[in-house]
Amino acid sequence: MSDGGEPTGDGDWTPENDAPDGWPVPLRGVTESVIATMGPNGLWNLAALGLHAGDPVTARTYGNTRTRRNFERRGGGVVQFVADPRPFVDAALSIREASEPVLPSADAWVEVDATLVDSWTEAGTTIREWELTPGESEVVREDPTTINRGFGAVVEATVAASRLGVAGFDDADLRERLDFLAGVVERAGGAREREAMTRIEEYADWDRPGN
Amino acid sequence: MSDGGEPTGDGDWTPENDAPDGWPVPLRGVTESVIATMGPNGLWNLAALGLHAGDPVTARTYGNTRTRRNFERRGGGVVQFVADPRPFVDAALSIREASEPVLPSADAWVEVDATLVDSWTEAGTTIREWELTPGESEVVREDPTTINRGFGAVVEATVAASRLGVAGFDDADLRERLDFLAGVVERAGGAREREAMTRIEEYADWDRPGN
């Protein structure tokens, strides 16, 4: 035997559970997605949407967003899963519209019906909970998973940037976190992460240190 | 036209560049991997290794680690890419050994020759830079990419935990960051991320708030 090691490594490892019925990918905890919903102008609005794993899968809208209004008008939309941090940032922090619902960058997508199941108010914001029922779906692209700290930092920075100026969050904490995350992207990100971070800086009321 | 949107969405999007010659996956910035190197006891030691994209691909060892010693003895090892945060945490923060080099959880792996190309000292630690030349490789598993904040938080927490007590890093900052990341895993992670965070707590001199 060795000094503290486990000679079996992760020999009892099994792949992640299958995707829930009707969903094109496995979901766990909160999986971040891009949601396309058709607006009154006939264009598809793109926004970020966190999918809460469970049976049924649920999602929340915060306040009077386009996604909330379009869910109410149209009863659903198209959930998609992107591997590129730039369309995620664009959807989350800017007004993006497209003539087609599925982004070229989507690795997978699924049409969903959205049914309002609950609503409550926190710090003056009405939070609505929607039950999502999957319809037609497609897996477009598959790759081995790789880990890049810069990618995670962009996602975390997107969340922080979206909370700047929002009641109930500490702006100084958020800015300090954004500064740290910008450094991670600088050191560990690829070209896409750097560009995504530049977009966050453009969309949000925040400038990275030294710029 | 719409109010601020770009009706083309990301219509000019193209998939990520191909993997570098001989590598099973695309690399960008610093891609985190698990490296298996054979130790003097005949078992494969598992550790974390950041791959710096470029031609050639390089990696750094910090101080007198098993990976460094085994690179020197054996001239290389087996790089692997895992999608499960638990084997990543195990490799990074604990002594793990296995009788076979490739983990069952590896989505892809590649044998590498490692050649020492540079070394320097920072804050008393000798950093060695290795050029990695790929050999035999395999893609074992492919999936659509999904985004989970908890996954990114585990990776970032692994880095922070590995720096506790290391010269040149501020322990209080690292602990504050770990506390924050534990909250992200709690709110957004799945079962694997929660278990990975529990392992970080076991391996590192840190306890999450409230525990």
Side-chain angles (χ1 to χ4, degrees):
Chain A
M1 282 301 275
S2 62
D3 47 352
E6 298 188 9
T8 55
D10 61 352
D12 56 351
W13 185 85
T14 55
E16 193 162 23
N17 289 340
D18 290 337
D21 265 359
W23 291 82
V25 300
L27 301 176
R28 65 189 198 280
V30 182
T31 299
E32 309 297 334
S33 75
V34 170
I35 176 83
T37 53
M38 181 169 276
N41 62 358
L43 291 174
W44 292 88
N45 180 71
L46 300 165
L49 190 71
L51 308 173
H52 294 245
D55 184 14
V57 175
T58 59
R60 294 171 185 177
T61 53
Y62 296 82
N64 181 27
T65 60
R66 285 159 182 256
T67 300
R68 174 239 155 166
R69 298 198 299 271
N70 294 341
F71 270 175
E72 287 188 349
R73 282 192 199 101
R74 295 280 178 166
V78 181
V79 165
Q80 45 212 298
F81 302 91
V82 297
D84 186 322
R86 297 171 302 179
F88 179 73
V89 166
D90 290 341
L93 299 178
S94 74
I95 307 291
R96 302 292 278 201
E97 293 178 308
S99 49
E100 300 294 332
V102 177
L103 292 167
S105 56
D107 273 13
W109 57 265
V110 54
E111 294 177 2
V112 295
D113 287 338
T115 307
L116 184 66
V117 290
D118 200 2
S119 78
W120 63 93
T121 298
E122 282 178 21
T125 299
T126 301
I127 301 172
R128 288 173 180 78
E129 187 168 67
W130 307 82
E131 186 177 310
L132 303 180
T133 309
E136 194 184 340
S137 70
E138 187 186 0
V139 172
V140 178
R141 199 177 299 106
E142 296 181 304
D143 291 293
T145 300
T146 54
I147 301 177
N148 183 287
R149 288 177 64 203
F151 182 84
V154 168
V155 173
E156 207 51 51
T158 303
V159 173
S162 73
R163 292 174 175 169
L164 285 172
V166 175
F169 295 99
D170 183 315
D171 253 39
D173 280 356
L174 294 169
R175 286 171 194 286
E176 194 180 338
R177 196 179 311 154
L178 282 163
D179 291 351
F180 168 75
L181 295 166
V184 174
V185 169
E186 193 63 35
R187 287 189 303 278
R192 290 177 179 213
E193 281 79 20
R194 287 161 194 263
E195 196 178 322
M197 205 71 194
T198 298
R199 294 189 192 182
I200 292 176
E201 204 171 2
E202 287 166 12
Y203 298 143
D205 176 24
W206 164 77
D207 293 298
R208 78 185 79 181
N211 277 26
Chain B
M1 282 300 274
S2 62
D3 49 351
E6 297 190 8
T8 55
D10 61 352
D12 58 350
W13 185 85
T14 55
E16 194 163 23
N17 290 340
D18 290 337
D21 265 1
W23 290 81
V25 300
L27 301 176
R28 64 189 198 281
V30 182
T31 299
E32 309 297 334
S33 75
V34 171
I35 176 83
T37 53
M38 182 169 276
N41 61 359
L43 291 174
W44 292 89
N45 181 70
L46 300 164
L49 191 70
L51 308 172
H52 294 245
D55 183 15
V57 174
T58 59
R60 294 171 185 176
T61 53
Y62 296 82
N64 181 28
T65 60
R66 286 157 180 257
T67 299
R68 174 238 156 167
R69 297 198 301 271
N70 294 341
F71 271 175
E72 287 187 348
R73 282 193 199 101
R74 294 280 178 165
V78 181
V79 165
Q80 44 211 299
F81 302 92
V82 295
D84 186 321
R86 297 171 303 179
F88 179 73
V89 166
D90 289 342
L93 299 178
S94 73
I95 307 291
R96 303 293 277 201
E97 293 177 308
S99 50
E100 299 294 331
V102 177
L103 292 167
S105 56
D107 274 13
W109 57 266
V110 53
E111 294 177 1
V112 295
D113 287 338
T115 307
L116 184 67
V117 290
D118 200 2
S119 78
W120 63 93
T121 299
E122 284 178 20
T125 298
T126 301
I127 300 173
R128 288 173 180 77
E129 186 168 67
W130 306 83
E131 186 176 310
L132 303 180
T133 308
E136 195 186 339
S137 71
E138 187 185 1
V139 171
V140 178
R141 200 176 298 108
E142 298 180 301
D143 290 294
T145 300
T146 55
I147 300 177
N148 184 287
R149 287 177 65 202
F151 182 83
V154 168
V155 173
E156 206 51 52
T158 303
V159 173
S162 73
R163 292 175 175 170
L164 285 171
V166 175
F169 295 99
D170 183 314
D171 253 38
D173 280 356
L174 294 170
R175 286 171 193 286
E176 193 179 339
R177 196 180 309 155
L178 282 163
D179 292 352
F180 168 75
L181 294 166
V184 173
V185 169
E186 194 62 35
R187 288 189 301 280
R192 289 177 179 213
E193 282 79 20
R194 288 161 194 265
E195 197 178 322
M197 205 69 196
T198 299
R199 294 189 192 183
I200 291 175
E201 203 171 3
E202 286 166 12
Y203 298 143
D205 175 26
W206 164 77
D207 293 298
R208 77 185 77 181
N211 275 28

